[in-house]
């Protein structure tokens, strides 16, 4: 007897492909989040380096003041410090932008995760249906076998009488 084919197998295959695609989207979103976090760390390190340069320039300015440096040297130090503060402001703005990018990446990860969960539920529903179908086919085959055995037993018993 020909083994019956599960009629929803094409649907199951499509749902499994959707689940695989959702898992790939989740992996991509997580990778993007990791890259955004690494970029944030790099930008924060740049802010810290800028602050360090400011502290060093402040120390040089104080030393120059104590040494009685010329006015043009003091003016150059002040200009340099102003430039460093402007650079720190720009770097802080970049940090803020990167934090916004991380929030977007986190939202993308969450959306991809929800998509994967939904796809998994759909696959599980079809698989549960297939299991029930297989169980009903098995029970039907057992009933047919029992019926055949009963008929065989009845026929054999009828011959012995």
């Amino acid at each position: 007897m020909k083994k019956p084919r599960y009629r929803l197998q094409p649907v199951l295959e499509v749902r499994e492909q959707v689940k695989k695609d959702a898992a790939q989207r989740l992996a991509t979103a997580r990778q993007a989040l990791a890259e955004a976090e690494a970029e944030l760390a790099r930008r924060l390190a740049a802010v810290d380096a800028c602050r360090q340069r400011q502290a060093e320039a402040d120390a040089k300015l104080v030393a120059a003041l104590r040494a009685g440096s010329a006015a043009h040297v003091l003016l150059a130090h002040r200009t340099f410090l102003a430039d460093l503060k402007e650079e720190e402001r720009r770097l802080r703005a970049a940090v803020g932008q990167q934090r916004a990018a991380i929030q977007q990446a986190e939202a993308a990860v969450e959306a991809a995760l929800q998509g994967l969960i939904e796809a998994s539920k759909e696959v599980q529903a079809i698989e549960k249906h297939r299991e029930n179908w297989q169980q009903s086919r098995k029970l039907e085959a057992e009933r047919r076998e029992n019926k055949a055995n009963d008929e065989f037993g009845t026929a054999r018993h009828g011959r012995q009488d």
Side-chain angles (χ1 to χ4, degrees):
M1 182 171 159
K2 181 179 171 184
K3 184 177 178 182
R5 185 176 186 284
Y6 180 55
R7 63 186 168 91
L8 294 180
Q9 187 63 35
V11 174
L12 178 60
E13 290 168 1
V14 168
R15 299 291 164 96
E16 287 173 342
Q17 184 60 43
V18 168
K19 180 181 173 184
K20 184 193 270 187
D21 293 344
Q24 181 60 40
R25 281 191 299 279
L26 178 60
T28 302
R30 284 185 174 161
Q31 178 65 30
L33 177 60
E35 290 170 2
E37 288 172 341
E39 178 64 17
L40 176 63
R42 187 192 66 73
R43 290 180 182 189
L44 287 171
V47 169
D48 290 342
C50 184
R51 283 185 179 168
Q52 182 65 29
R53 287 193 316 249
Q54 284 180 24
E56 291 169 1
D58 278 338
K60 286 180 183 179
L61 178 60
V62 169
L65 284 172
R66 288 190 181 157
S69 296
H72 69 73
V73 173
L74 297 176
L75 184 61
H77 275 292
R78 287 186 65 200
T79 304
F80 181 64
L81 279 173
D83 289 345
L84 284 176
K85 286 182 181 181
E86 178 60 27
E87 181 181 349
E88 180 184 5
R89 187 194 62 75
R90 283 193 313 269
L91 289 172
R92 286 184 178 279
V95 165
Q97 290 172 347
Q98 192 60 31
R99 285 193 171 133
I102 286 176
Q103 288 177 341
Q104 290 175 346
E106 287 172 343
V109 166
E110 184 61 31
L113 181 60
Q114 291 303 319
L116 179 59
I117 289 169
E118 185 62 32
S120 294
K121 286 179 181 178
E122 290 176 2
V123 168
Q124 286 177 343
I126 298 292
E127 286 176 344
K128 182 68 176 168
H129 181 268
R130 181 178 63 185
E131 288 172 10
N132 290 339
W133 175 79
Q134 288 172 336
Q135 185 65 26
S136 69
R137 298 295 297 172
K138 182 179 176 184
L139 289 173
E140 185 180 321
E142 287 175 3
R143 275 190 229 118
R144 279 194 307 265
E145 183 180 341
N146 287 340
K147 183 179 178 183
N149 287 340
D150 288 347
E151 288 174 0
F152 177 74
T154 302
R156 185 172 177 189
H157 180 66
R159 276 194 245 149
Q160 289 178 356
D161 286 342

